[in-house]
Amino acid sequence: MIYLYAFLFAGLVCLIGQIILDNTKLTPGHITTIFVVLGTLLDVFDIYDKFVLFAGGGALVPITSFGHLLIHGAMDTASQEGFMGLVMGMFDLTASGITSAIIFSFFLALIFKPKD
Amino acid sequence: MDKKDYQKLVDKNTPKEKRLKNGIVAFFIGGFMGIIGQGLIDLYMNWFDISSKQASVFMIVTLIFVGCFLTCLGFFDKWVNFARCGLIVPITGFAHAMMSAALEYKKEGMVTGIGANMFKLAGSVIIFGVVSAYTFGLIRLLILGGSV
């Protein structure tokens, strides 16, 4: 059943993005940025955690989860360390994604040539 | 039929159909990406006997690698043109943005090319993510006081 919810949730997020893209003059860069901000906003009241429990991977795949993980790591550390924890824990949970994206794109860029 | 009426007719008919088609394609491909994500989490949990949190990290790394690799091979640009938000909104879009920027500026050298331009497209995601996470986190700390 979680697969159905994953499908519906991820599909719905992409559909909203596509509707925004088609009906306004915003670029794909704007769309991803809007979704990241939306993800952090939804995590303020732990709404996104419920989505993750409900839709599993479907809620983790869209870029909204990136914002959710940013604020989640920051808040986790902040609950132990106080205000400085916000700065210390910001990249705790997203470090894997950012690091792997940098490593893969750097080494693959060295190997491959751009295709036109 | 004069030009104005014709333009009205064109506006009424062509873009709507395309929008509907774009929306359906984005919905199904985006949903399919969600199924792949959940499938990979279950697969890794069974294979390596790890918790779902670790498996989700593995899943994100896998999807980023696939996105980067397919961009290098040249398939991904065509797929993005077809699926639009169905592939841009999932984490593969983030990988695609970084990889294509790195490839595009490769000819300008390692430091001034790849190093300086890798975050050209994907940088806004990180910047706005951090800024909004800090702001909302601060507000939540001040109002609600720590974790809820």
Side-chain angles (χ1 to χ4, degrees):
Chain A
M1 204 60 192
I2 197 163
Y3 283 92
L4 180 68
Y5 292 139
F7 177 79
L8 287 177
F9 186 83
L12 213 63
V13 172
C14 292
L15 180 65
I16 293 167
Q18 187 61 43
I19 289 169
I20 298 171
L21 190 70
D22 277 343
N23 291 297
T24 56
K25 281 178 184 157
L26 300 176
T27 62
H30 286 101
I31 308 285
T32 45
T33 309
I34 289 170
F35 274 116
V36 169
V37 176
L38 206 66
T40 57
L41 185 63
L42 283 176
D43 202 63
V44 173
F45 302 106
D46 288 332
I47 299 169
Y48 208 85
D49 282 331
K50 291 188 184 95
F51 287 151
V52 173
L53 279 180
F54 179 70
L60 290 169
V61 165
I63 198 84
T64 38
S65 81
F66 188 79
H68 150 75
L69 289 173
L70 277 174
I71 191 168
H72 211 78
M75 290 313 293
D76 270 358
T77 322
S79 63
Q80 296 159 12
E81 308 269 348
F83 282 101
M84 281 315 280
L86 273 182
V87 192
M88 289 157 68
M90 184 64 81
F91 286 106
D92 267 9
L93 299 170
T94 39
S96 56
I98 295 174
T99 312
S100 58
I102 292 174
I103 301 286
F104 291 145
S105 13
F106 183 77
F107 284 112
L108 287 173
L110 290 183
I111 299 167
F112 284 88
K113 286 196 177 100
K115 292 234 162 48
D116 290 316
Chain B
M1 192 190 293
D2 62 43
K3 239 178 185 174
K4 228 176 182 178
D5 284 340
Y6 181 71
Q7 196 55 44
K8 240 183 210 166
L9 209 71
V10 167
D11 283 349
K12 210 170 143 193
N13 288 321
T14 36
K16 224 176 196 172
E17 229 172 29
K18 224 176 149 194
R19 275 178 201 170
L20 190 68
K21 191 200 135 214
N22 281 348
I24 290 169
V25 167
F27 178 74
F28 276 97
I29 292 189
F32 194 60
M33 291 300 298
I35 289 183
I36 290 175
Q38 181 58 37
L40 281 174
I41 288 177
D42 284 348
L43 200 70
Y44 287 139
M45 273 169 77
N46 286 329
W47 267 4
F48 303 123
D49 199 19
I50 49 179
S51 69
S52 66
K53 219 166 197 174
Q54 283 170 305
S56 66
V57 171
F58 275 47
M59 178 271 287
I60 285 173
V61 172
T62 312
L63 283 183
I64 286 175
F65 177 74
V66 170
C68 284
F69 193 65
L70 290 177
T71 308
C72 282
L73 294 179
F75 297 126
F76 215 72
D77 286 319
K78 285 173 208 157
W79 294 357
V80 167
N81 277 337
F82 173 71
R84 314 282 281 148
C85 270
L87 286 172
I88 292 168
V89 170
I91 201 86
T92 46
F94 180 72
H96 170 71
M98 280 184 72
M99 189 71 239
S100 49
L103 273 180
E104 198 179 326
Y105 290 96
K106 187 192 173 188
K107 59 178 184 294
E108 289 177 23
M110 281 247 250
V111 175
T112 52
I114 298 176
N117 292 299
M118 193 187 268
F119 282 103
K120 196 158 204 171
L121 300 165
S124 71
V125 170
I126 294 178
I127 308 289
F128 278 92
V130 169
V131 169
S132 58
Y134 186 79
T135 315
F136 294 140
L138 202 62
I139 291 170
R140 187 170 142 176
L141 261 186
L142 288 173
I143 294 174
L144 301 170
S147 66
V148 182

